[in-house]
Amino acid sequence: DLGGGSLEVMVGDNGGLLWSTSAHLGVARLTTELVRHDPPDADDLRRLRRRVTSVLAPLADEVADLGPRTLVGTSGTLCDLARMAAAHRAGREGGASAVPASVNQLRVRRKDILAVHDRLLALPAAARQRLPGLEARRADIVPAGSVLLVAALELFGFDHLVVGEWALREGIILDAIGHHEPADFTGDPRAIRLGSVLGLVRRCNADDGHGQTVARLATDLFDQTQPLHRLRVDDREMLEYAGLLHDIGEHVSVDAHHKHTAYLIEHGRLRGFSPEEVAVLVCLGRFHRRGDPKPSFEPFAALAPSVQDRVTRLTALLRVADGLDRGHSGVIDGIDVDLAGDRARLTVHTSSDADLELWGVRRKRELFERVFGRRLEIQLGTTADGDGRALAPRALARDR
C-alpha cells in the first residue's frame, strides 16, 4: 500500500496477516527529498533507485521463505500506473486505448509497466498530466512511484501486478464491522458480489421481481443443459448476476434499454468483480435482447476468444430465460429440459395463463438453436385446471 509518506508491505493468505512492516518510501517523501529536476535526470533516478533498493532488498529477503505468489498493489499511485499499463497494452495490441472504468482486481504485466515507466521518466510534469490513466494531481509524484514499483517487481520476483481499489482505510472499516457486527459481515466474496449487484439494481429502481425470476430460470436452464454448453460454475454465477441486472437500463429509457444496461453495469462500480468479469456482465446486458455478441462492441472485442465464446453461450441461455418472463408476471413455476437427438425439449410448468411467456421464448430461441445446434421445442407441462385436476403435457400448436 503506497502512500505519500510511507509504504506498507504485508504478506498474508486466507487465514490472515503473516508479516508486515512500514517503510519511509512514500511517493511524496521520495519526490521531495530526492527529485530535483523535471523530468528527473540521471542523478535523480540514481538517488531514487539507491534509496528504494536499500530499503526493499532486505524486506524481499525477509519474506522469501513465506513464498508469496501474488503482488497486490493499492493506493492511487499504483492504481494509476496499472490504468496506464492497461491503456498502453490495449493500444499496442490494436484495441481501444480507453482507460479501464474500474481497475479493481486488474492484472497488468511487468513489460507493460516497464513501457509506461520509460515514457513517464522522459516527460515533464505538464506532458505527464495528459497521459491516459494518470490523474493530473499525481503528475509530480508518479515518477517516484514508478521507480518504486519497478524495483518491487524485480526484488520480490513478480511478473505481474494485481491492483485493488480498496486499501488499508477500507480494511480498517471492514475489520471494525467484523468485530462489532459479525452477523452483518461474513467476508464471503460471493456475498460481497451479490450485495453489490443487488445494490446497483436498487439504485436503478429496476423491476426486482422480474430480475429474480429471470435469474432463477436462467440458472435452472444452465443446470439442465450442462451437456450442451459445458460451461463452468463461475459462468453460472455470472449468468445469475446478469439475470438480476439485465433490465436496469430501463431506469434511463425503455427504448434501447439494453444499451443503457451495458453502460450502467460498466460504470456501476461493482465490488468484488475483476475487469474481465465486469466486461462479461456488460456484454450479457448489451446482448440479452437481440443481436449477436460481436467485436464491434468494444467490451466484447477486449475479451479473449475463449471468453467471447462463453459469453455467446451465456447470452443464448439468458435470452431464453428472459423470454420465459416476457410479461414480468412470474407465472412460470419451473422448467424441465430433455435433451434427445437434435432437439432440446423445454417443458414449462405454470398454473396461470402463460401465452405471453410462450410467445416470448419462441421469439428468443434463435440464438440458442444456432449456438447449440439443437431445435428448442416448447411444451406446457403438467399443471392443474380450475378444479385442481391434473392436465397432461401438451405441445404448442404454434411451436413450428
Side-chain angles (χ1 to χ4, degrees):
D1 187 326
L2 178 59
S6 64
L7 171 74
E8 320 307 324
V9 186
M10 296 145 281
V11 181
D13 59 17
N14 287 340
L17 188 67
L18 300 175
W19 178 94
S20 66
T21 191
S22 180
H24 295 308
L25 293 178
V27 285
R29 182 192 297 270
L30 291 174
T31 302
T32 300
E33 294 181 359
L34 304 175
V35 179
R36 296 164 189 167
H37 301 86
D38 182 30
D41 66 8
D43 289 336
D44 292 335
L45 296 176
R46 191 177 301 112
R47 284 190 293 270
L48 279 171
R49 289 165 182 151
R50 185 183 301 121
R51 171 76 63 83
V52 168
T53 301
S54 67
V55 176
L56 289 186
L59 301 184
D61 291 338
E62 192 171 344
V63 304
D65 290 341
L66 295 174
R69 299 181 182 179
T70 303
L71 182 64
V72 178
T74 64
S75 82
T77 298
L78 293 182
C79 286
D80 274 9
L81 288 168
R83 286 188 186 93
M84 298 169 72
H88 164 79
R89 179 179 179 183
R92 185 170 52 80
E93 294 185 353
S97 60
V99 177
S102 168
V103 295
N104 197 44
Q105 299 186 47
L106 177 66
R107 182 182 178 93
V108 291
R109 302 179 299 186
R110 179 179 175 182
K111 64 180 181 181
D112 293 318
I113 293 171
L114 288 173
V116 168
H117 173 75
D118 291 340
R119 189 178 182 193
L120 277 173
L121 299 185
L123 296 174
R128 291 196 295 269
Q129 290 180 5
R130 297 190 292 271
L131 293 176
L134 178 63
E135 287 194 39
R137 62 191 178 95
R138 296 195 181 94
D140 291 331
I141 60 175
V142 73
S146 188
V147 168
L148 186 145
L149 175 57
V150 169
L153 286 165
E154 179 180 354
L155 293 170
F156 288 96
F158 289 100
D159 289 326
H160 293 81
L161 170 73
V162 178
V163 288
E165 291 180 334
W166 283 14
L168 286 178
R169 289 176 299 180
E170 291 80 9
I172 292 170
I173 293 171
L174 293 179
D175 184 66
I177 293 172
H179 280 90
H180 295 96
E181 298 291 342
D184 296 332
F185 181 73
T186 65
D188 177 12
R190 174 174 162 78
I192 294 173
R193 288 148 70 97
L194 180 59
S196 183
V197 166
L198 294 177
L200 181 56
V201 171
R202 287 192 295 271
R203 293 197 301 275
C204 294
N205 296 315
D207 184 346
D208 183 60
H210 173 61
Q212 295 279 356
T213 298
V214 171
R216 170 176 60 85
L217 293 171
T219 51
D220 283 351
L221 188 63
F222 182 100
D223 294 340
Q224 297 186 52
T225 57
Q226 180 68 42
L228 283 183
H229 57 69
R230 300 185 183 278
L231 294 169
R232 309 176 314 203
V233 174
D234 54 333
D235 293 316
R236 184 185 191 275
E237 188 181 357
M238 290 298 103
L239 180 62
E240 179 183 3
Y241 298 145
L244 295 170
L245 291 166
H246 74 285
D247 268 357
I248 62 172
E250 292 187 356
H251 179 61
V252 178
S253 174
V254 174
D255 294 335
H257 71 270
H258 53 298
K259 297 179 181 179
H260 302 308
T261 290
Y263 180 87
L264 291 170
I265 293 173
E266 184 173 9
H267 299 279
R269 302 187 66 83
L270 291 173
R271 294 185 292 112
F273 295 89
S274 70
E276 180 181 276
E277 289 171 329
V278 172
V280 167
L281 292 175
V282 168
C283 293
L284 291 173
R286 172 64 176 80
F287 296 105
H288 82 271
R289 189 179 175 197
R290 61 170 179 258
D292 288 0
K294 50 187 177 294
S296 59
F297 184 59
E298 177 54 35
F300 185 76
L303 296 172
S306 61
V307 183
Q308 290 179 347
D309 178 66
R310 286 161 46 204
V311 166
T312 301
R313 291 166 182 260
L314 290 172
T315 301
L317 298 174
L318 180 60
R319 281 192 193 171
V320 172
D322 188 31
L324 285 168
D325 197 42
R326 173 72 182 184
H328 293 210
S329 55
V331 299
I332 305 302
D333 301 320
I335 59 173
D336 287 311
V337 180
D338 178 40
L339 303 176
D342 63 349
R343 301 180 182 184
R345 178 168 295 167
L346 175 64
T347 303
V348 178
H349 300 286
T350 179
S351 56
S352 305
D353 181 2
D355 284 350
L356 182 58
E357 283 66 33
L358 298 174
W359 173 78
V361 75
R362 287 197 299 272
R363 291 183 68 243
K364 295 270 192 172
R365 66 184 169 188
E366 187 273 334
L367 183 61
F368 180 100
E369 293 182 332
R370 180 154 43 86
V371 168
F372 300 122
R374 301 282 186 105
R375 287 180 54 193
L376 183 61
E377 297 181 346
I378 304 119
Q379 68 176 20
L380 285 173
T382 302
T383 184
D385 65 9
D387 298 323
R389 296 173 298 183
L391 300 176
R394 62 182 178 85
L396 299 177
R398 292 172 291 172
D399 190 50
R400 278 296 179 205

